[in-house]
């Protein structure tokens, strides 16, 4: 899918449809006025009746005398509630409808920019929303979808041209990152075995000119990365850690870390069948870091960012690690394995130690870590845990800018208590109660006093069921990391 820029009026845009944003209250937007005129007044006649302009409404309206034969009139909700999230969501739903209608080329006029949302932000929201709504994953299907292949930002006002150019190039970079992330997560687990996922990341890095180094199995052994090695041992496909670097030349290094379980069977503590379904998405954290690093590099941001991917497959092979095994982690801490299905924290612990050795200023890890966070927060917010209020607030604000929502969860001394082991320094799980927090507390042990945020994205990364934006990977978290990196 291509994101393009059309510098001209919306009447002059030639494509299959123009998206026309309309609020549920007040005057029509300029594009709304245009669509009303070119539809012979149909929009004004339907407004407030068949079309009320609430978020989620999409009304196809034939146009006469415009470059595009069709308007997709899309509701923005009230002016008072309008913001980045609403613009993004409305554009996503319009693009989704365009996909269902097999429209190949769609145009997006400015999505109104009332108080609080600058024109560039409004345009980025519209482009990113539309790109996300138009996404599809059909590489394993003979019959390909026919949804939008080209999405154009339409800017007819000469004084808006600079903002439009900036929005277009930023959105194109971020959308490319999001697409990479969603493709990797949607890929079937037999097609992204650890060595294949590593190769895919290396190929992306090479194509983008992003610095990339892979720590293979032998080197992990030499280093003594006992967490990731144990988790990978039940698989015929050995684990690896990939390190991506973007050096924008300014300031301290910031660390990103992603859980990259290419498939999580649970190991010897095997998951029941329903719980195992969609465990191909258990590399979403790593996939998110890959997409974010790609976008950050394309944006040529001035900061320094290092992305660590802990990649392994949790299987039940003859040499699989067992409950009660004691592991010596890269940091030297010994861990008693209390459940082989709590594998994410083990691979992340070694990644955290690597980042500490890099002396990063702060760490943000992303992981589909616990079922408990899904129960607590559902699919619309990810859990955020942190040992540092300032870093936590920075990530929450970055999330707000990206229209990705987080909810700060507790890390208490009692959670540390739950990880006491009779045999080793700590054990890997506590009881079921507060499971997302004990998992985070386990990571905290390895993050130490480095300012650190842990994002548990188990509920937000992947839709098993078909929601309004379809089945599969959401790309949640990529834009948060980019907004963080932009330092806003
Ligand atoms: N990958 C799972 C967590 C998960 C669950 C992700 C549902 C997405 C949807 C993780 O490795 C896991 O199995 N966690 C266990 C931990 C438990 C054994 C302490 C869980 O949450 O049940
Ligand atoms: Mn697991
Ligand atoms: Zn897992």
């Amino acid at each position: 899918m291509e994101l393009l820029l059309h510098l001209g009026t919306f009447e002059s845009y030639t494509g299959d449809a123009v998206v026309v944003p309309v609020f549920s209250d007040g005057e029509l937007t300029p594009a709304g006025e245009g669509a009303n005129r070119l539809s012979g007044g149909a929009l004004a006649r339907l407004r407030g009746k068949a079309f009320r302009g609430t978020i989620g409404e999409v009304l196809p309206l034939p146009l006469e005398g415009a470059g595009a034969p069709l308007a997709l009139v899309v509701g923005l909700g009230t002016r008072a509630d309008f913001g980045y999230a609403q613009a993004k969501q409305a554009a996503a739903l319009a693009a989704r409808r365009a996909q269902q209608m097999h429209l190949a080329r769609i145009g997006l006029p400015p999505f109104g920019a009332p108080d609080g949302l600058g024109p560039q932000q409004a345009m980025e929201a519209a482009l990113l929303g539309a790109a996300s709504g138009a996404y599809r994953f059909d590489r394993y299907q003979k019959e390909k979808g026919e949804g939008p292949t080209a999405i154009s930002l339409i800017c007819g006002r000469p004084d808006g041209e600079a903002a439009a150019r900036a929005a277009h190039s930023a959105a194109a970079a971020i959308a490319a990152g999001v697409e990479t992330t969603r493709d990797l997560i949607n890929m079937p687990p037999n097609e992204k075995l650890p060595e294949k996922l590593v190769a895919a990341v290396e190929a992306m890095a090479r194509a983008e000119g992003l610095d990339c180094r892979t720590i293979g199995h032998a080197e992990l052994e030499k280093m003594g990365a006992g967490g990731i090695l144990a988790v990978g041992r039940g698989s015929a496909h050995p684990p690896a850690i990939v390190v991506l670097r973007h050096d924008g030349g300014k300031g301290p290094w910031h660390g990103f870390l992603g859980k990259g379980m290419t498939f999580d069977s649970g190991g010897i503590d095997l998951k029941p069948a329903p719980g195992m379904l969609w465990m191909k998405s258990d590399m979403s954290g790593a996939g998110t870091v890959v997409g974010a690093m790609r976008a950050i590099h394309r944006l040529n941001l001035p900061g320094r960012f290092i992305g660590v991917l802990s990649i392994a497959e949790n299987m039940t092979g003859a040499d699989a690690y067992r409950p009660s095994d004691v592991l010596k982690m890269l940091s030297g801490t010994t861990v008693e394995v209390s459940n082989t299905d709590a594998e994410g924290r083990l691979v992340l612990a070694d990644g955290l130690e690597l980042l500490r050795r890099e002396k990063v200023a702060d760490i943000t890890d992303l992981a589909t870590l616990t079922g408990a966070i899904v129960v607590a927060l559902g699919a619309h917010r990810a859990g955020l845990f942190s040992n540092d209020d300032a870093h936590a607030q920075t990530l929450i604000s970055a999330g707000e800018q990206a229209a990705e929502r987080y909810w700060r969860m507790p890390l208490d001394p009692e959670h540390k208590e739950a990880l006491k082991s009779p045999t080793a320094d700590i054990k890997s799980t506590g009881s079921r109660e507060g499971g997302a927090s004990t998992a985070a507390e386990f990571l905290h042990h390895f993050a130490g006093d480095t300012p650190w945020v842990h994002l548990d994205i188990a509920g937000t990364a992947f839709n098993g069921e078909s929601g309004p934006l379809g089945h599969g990977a959401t790309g949640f978290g990529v834009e948060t990391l980019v907004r963080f990196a932009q330092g806003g």
Side-chain angles (χ1 to χ4, degrees):
M1 183 205 323
E2 261 187 307
L3 297 186
L4 306 169
L5 187 57
H6 175 78
L7 295 172
T9 61
F10 112 70
E11 288 86 347
S12 73
Y13 166 75
T14 55
D16 297 310
V18 276
V19 175
V20 174
V22 170
F23 287 102
S24 62
D25 56 0
E27 307 279 286
L28 283 173
T29 58
E33 289 289 358
N36 187 46
R37 191 164 24 82
L38 298 168
S39 66
L43 178 53
R45 284 198 301 278
L46 293 171
R47 193 161 175 239
K49 303 182 184 82
F51 181 82
R52 305 181 48 179
T54 57
I55 293 241
E57 280 180 275
V58 183
L59 170 74
L61 207 59
L63 299 180
E64 212 51 77
L70 189 71
L72 289 177
V73 183
V74 57
L76 297 183
T78 65
R79 284 168 193 270
D81 289 342
F82 184 73
Y84 191 83
Q86 287 71 23
K88 207 172 160 184
Q89 192 189 358
L93 293 167
R96 178 80 174 161
R97 178 66 72 86
Q99 187 181 72
Q100 288 157 352
M101 296 173 77
H102 309 300
L103 305 172
R105 305 173 62 82
I106 61 172
L108 298 167
F111 263 45
D115 301 345
L117 188 62
Q120 187 181 331
Q121 278 175 297
M123 289 189 270
E124 286 185 28
L127 275 173
L128 287 170
S132 132
Y135 174 85
R136 58 172 183 267
F137 184 76
D138 55 12
R139 70 173 75 167
Y140 298 102
Q141 291 173 318
K142 207 176 293 135
E143 225 162 276
K144 305 292 180 199
E146 288 172 68
T149 50
I151 298 173
S152 299
L153 178 63
I154 301 171
C155 179
R157 290 177 39 186
D159 61 340
E161 205 180 301
R165 284 189 193 281
H168 170 260
S169 71
I174 299 169
V178 172
E179 188 176 26
T180 301
T181 298
R182 292 174 81 177
D183 281 350
L184 290 174
I185 297 170
N186 286 330
M187 215 119 83
N190 59 327
E191 292 287 322
K192 60 177 174 198
L193 297 165
E195 67 274 18
K196 293 188 183 179
L197 181 56
V198 168
V201 174
E202 287 172 343
M204 181 283 290
R206 212 172 310 120
E208 301 284 329
L210 189 58
D211 185 68
C212 176
R213 194 174 89 80
T214 300
I215 306 175
H217 187 250
E219 201 179 338
L220 289 173
E221 291 209 305
K222 219 181 304 150
M223 292 164 61
I228 189 169
L229 284 168
V231 171
R233 229 170 31 227
S235 166
H237 304 274
I241 291 182
V242 177
V243 183
L244 297 167
R245 275 190 177 82
H246 166 77
D247 186 350
K250 246 171 83 180
W253 286 88
H254 302 277
F256 298 143
L257 169 65
K259 169 177 173 182
M261 210 53 52
T262 64
F263 186 73
D264 180 12
S265 72
I268 298 296
D269 288 306
L270 196 64
K271 284 181 183 295
M276 204 185 298
L277 192 61
W278 311 128
M279 277 303 136
K280 69 172 186 179
S281 68
D282 210 21
M283 40 57 72
S284 294
T288 306
V289 171
V290 172
M293 290 296 290
R294 183 179 191 207
I296 287 167
H297 193 66
R298 281 204 173 186
L299 288 167
N300 202 11
L301 296 183
R304 295 189 158 111
F305 301 92
I306 172 166
V308 170
L309 321 172
S310 292
I311 297 173
E313 189 186 35
N314 191 20
M315 298 292 275
T316 58
D319 199 26
Y321 80 132
R322 316 155 192 79
S324 298
D325 277 0
V326 171
L327 315 176
K328 183 148 189 206
M329 312 293 279
L330 182 60
S331 73
T333 296
T334 58
V335 173
E336 180 181 14
V337 176
S338 31
N339 188 320
T340 63
D341 199 9
E343 82 298 338
R345 60 198 76 183
L346 299 175
V347 305
L348 291 169
D350 286 347
L352 287 168
E353 174 63 18
L354 261 188
L355 281 170
R356 277 176 65 89
R357 291 181 185 182
E358 294 283 338
K359 307 237 178 302
V360 293
D362 49 61
I363 300 175
T364 306
D365 83 64
L366 298 96
T368 46
L369 202 64
T370 67
I373 204 70
V374 190
V375 174
L377 299 180
H380 304 293
R381 276 182 197 266
L384 182 150
F385 303 81
S386 182
N387 61 358
D388 186 276
D389 290 346
H391 192 42
Q393 195 46 54
T394 304
L395 262 298
I396 290 173
S397 306
E400 274 164 10
Q401 288 173 50
E404 293 173 335
R405 285 174 289 174
Y406 299 88
W407 192 254
R408 189 157 178 192
M409 299 285 289
L411 274 180
D412 290 321
E414 288 84 349
H415 299 124
K416 204 178 282 249
E417 204 60 29
L419 295 175
K420 285 209 163 135
S421 160
T423 315
D425 295 334
I426 52 173
K427 59 177 177 153
S428 62
T429 68
S431 65
R432 267 167 50 86
E433 288 87 29
S437 283
T438 44
E441 191 53 53
F442 182 90
L443 298 180
H444 185 193
H445 178 96
F446 297 90
D449 55 8
T450 302
W452 154 81
V453 159
H454 157 58
L455 303 174
D456 193 338
I457 56 170
T460 52
F462 191 88
N463 293 319
E465 260 121 65
S466 222
L469 287 182
H471 161 90
T474 61
F476 183 98
V478 174
E479 194 182 337
T480 299
L481 294 186
V482 174
R483 300 300 177 199
F484 166 75
Q486 286 176 327

